[in-house]
Amino acid sequence: MKPWLVVSALGLTQIIGYGTLYYSFSILAPAMSRDFAWSAEWTFGALSAALLIGGLAAPWVGRRIDRHGAGRVMSVGSVLAAAALVACALAPGRIAFVFGLIAIEVASTFVQYSAAFALLVQLRPQAAQRSITHLTLIAGFASTLFWPITAALHAHLTWQQVYLVFAVLNLAICLPAHAWLSRAMRRPRGPGPATAVATPATPVEGRLHPSRRPIAFALMVTGFALESFVNAAILVHMLPLLAALGLGAASVLVGTLFGPAQVLSRLTNMVFGGGLPQVTLAVISATLMPAAALLLLGTAPWLIGALAFAVVFGLGSGLNSIVQGTLPLELFGSDGYGERLGRVTSVRLVVSSAAPFAFAFLMHTVGTGWALLVTAIFGSVAVLAFLGIVQLSHRRGHGDPEPLAMGAQD
């Protein structure tokens, strides 16, 4: 199978997966609140609870990925995603709606980045770092496409009907693509037709000495969890946040810059970042995100400042999406990658699950400015966590392996 075909197929399914299961929520949430007679805080609190339970399911999904293959798990996930969207759309009341949201977040762990990254590692471990960068480059358009798509659909359809349309997308596009990838992963490796999987996979060894891995893993999980809190808090509330700061009709324009900025960061990394350690990229990503929040806080409601915020935040978020997949591979290797990434995803989602409710609560009780400041402080702690991994990486001792250049092959 040609690598570019794999990445292209996964890129399409990631755009649809993130667009339908995640980015659409902030557009549809006000209508959901009206239908269920809930405040915005309670609606986003339901999302937080769903994210929490989805995070708890992630390690179990990671073990299934290692045991059965990421392609098969993602195929099942496409069906689950469609069923969850339908369940949410047809929910007769609040309790059924919350269970539908929980199903959506559990299905997300089957089909979004963690599973897609694992598929790339399982197919070609030595080239996975570069493939992950290419994948996130394509998937970065999810918000740019699905915020306006969701808004346009919602102008003519109810939120329930929009979810039903999105369920069809997961069944009609994502399921066939994931099933095709699953069949390709089961083909015998070695000589064969040009479309078959190329050469047997050579595992990647982690660069960290085993004695340093527990503390490095704890620091990495902490950094990713806090970054995800910042990302979820701002992204879920992006348009309401900008409107509250006085941007008004320009909020949608500012929001649409986020996706291209993500793509720009990934393209820049692909062209110029090949020689940088992934932990350095993690530090850069973690620094950009709180810096963006402070930039917005200091310049609102100035439009140019808001546009700069969207670009800087998108750059940080774009790099973060890459290093969530490449840093665990660089530090710990490809053996057990699916389960390891599932554990990272679990903690990351559990922590970030509080973000939608917490940010909405802070905006309502102490104001938008304080909400942004608290979020920036969380992001700053993530910077310190990744700097700790830098120190561990540079403190070489007897028996430490040489750093790997994983991006050498493609």
Side-chain angles (χ1 to χ4, degrees):
M1 178 190 304
K2 299 296 184 183
W4 68 267
L5 282 175
V6 174
V7 172
S8 297
L10 279 178
L12 177 61
T13 67
Q14 293 304 289
I15 287 174
I16 294 173
Y18 275 96
T20 61
L21 303 176
Y22 185 73
Y23 287 117
S24 63
F25 189 85
S26 63
I27 304 292
L28 302 176
M32 295 170 177
S33 297
R34 286 193 302 270
D35 282 0
F36 293 111
W38 263 348
S39 66
E41 290 84 359
W42 278 104
T43 302
F44 285 103
L47 176 63
S48 293
L51 286 168
L52 172 63
I53 296 174
L56 295 176
W60 181 85
V61 176
R63 289 192 291 273
R64 303 287 81 71
I65 286 172
D66 282 338
R67 182 175 302 175
H68 303 294
R72 185 178 298 178
V73 169
M74 295 184 81
S75 299
V76 173
S78 295
V79 177
L80 292 178
L85 287 165
V86 171
C88 227
L90 301 182
R94 295 175 179 178
I95 295 176
F97 172 73
V98 171
F99 276 105
L101 278 183
I102 291 171
I104 286 176
E105 295 308 324
V106 171
S108 295
T109 65
F110 282 73
V111 297
Q112 290 180 346
Y113 272 153
S114 294
F117 293 163
L119 189 147
L120 294 174
V121 170
Q122 288 173 353
L123 278 176
R124 305 173 76 235
Q126 294 290 334
Q129 178 177 314
R130 188 169 181 83
S131 296
I132 287 171
T133 302
H134 291 163
L135 173 62
T136 57
L137 182 66
I138 298 171
F141 287 105
S143 62
T144 303
L145 292 172
F146 269 86
W147 272 335
I149 286 174
T150 304
L153 287 172
H154 193 36
H156 304 283
L157 304 173
T158 65
W159 70 265
Q160 293 96 333
Q161 292 168 333
V162 173
Y163 263 11
L164 292 176
V165 171
F166 288 167
V168 172
L169 289 180
N170 279 273
L171 283 179
I173 299 177
C174 297
L175 177 58
H178 292 152
W180 171 67
L181 290 167
S182 178
R183 287 195 300 271
M185 291 181 70
R186 294 198 299 270
R187 290 175 184 165
R189 300 179 183 268
T195 56
V197 175
T199 63
T202 302
V204 168
E205 299 294 333
R207 66 178 295 172
L208 279 181
H209 190 271
S211 64
R212 295 175 187 167
R213 292 185 179 184
I215 187 170
F217 186 80
L219 288 170
M220 182 182 71
V221 168
T222 300
F224 283 149
L226 292 176
E227 274 192 292
S228 293
F229 182 94
V230 175
N231 211 36
I234 293 179
L235 277 184
V236 170
H237 293 281
M238 175 75 83
L239 300 185
L241 166 66
L242 294 171
L245 290 171
L247 273 301
S251 300
V252 175
L253 170 64
V254 174
T256 55
L257 284 180
F258 171 77
Q262 281 191 308
V263 173
L264 176 62
S265 70
R266 293 159 185 172
L267 181 61
T268 302
N269 176 62
M270 185 175 69
V271 176
F272 300 107
L276 290 176
Q278 297 307 299
V279 68
T280 301
L281 294 177
V283 172
I284 295 172
S285 167
T287 302
L288 288 172
M289 294 172 72
L294 293 175
L295 177 62
L296 180 62
L297 181 61
T299 61
W302 189 36
L303 177 59
I304 300 300
L307 294 172
F309 148 76
V311 171
V312 174
F313 192 73
L315 292 173
S317 181
L319 283 179
N320 174 250
S321 297
I322 296 172
V323 296
Q324 283 180 17
T326 58
L327 185 59
L329 183 62
E330 179 181 80
L331 296 179
F332 309 108
S334 58
D335 185 39
Y337 178 85
E339 181 176 1
R340 187 177 300 112
L341 202 58
R343 290 164 59 197
V344 173
T345 301
S346 178
V347 178
R348 182 171 60 80
L349 289 179
V350 167
V351 172
S352 66
S353 67
F357 176 77
F359 198 84
F361 178 79
L362 287 172
M363 286 179 65
H364 180 73
T365 55
V366 298
T368 304
W370 280 104
L372 276 173
L373 181 60
V374 170
T375 303
I377 292 172
F378 272 66
S380 299
V381 177
V383 178
L384 298 178
F386 290 122
L387 287 174
I389 298 178
V390 171
Q391 292 300 312
L392 286 175
S393 300
H394 290 168
R395 193 187 310 149
R396 296 178 55 75
H398 179 71
D400 282 10
E402 293 296 326
L404 297 175
M406 291 186 296
Q409 301 181 43
D410 190 19

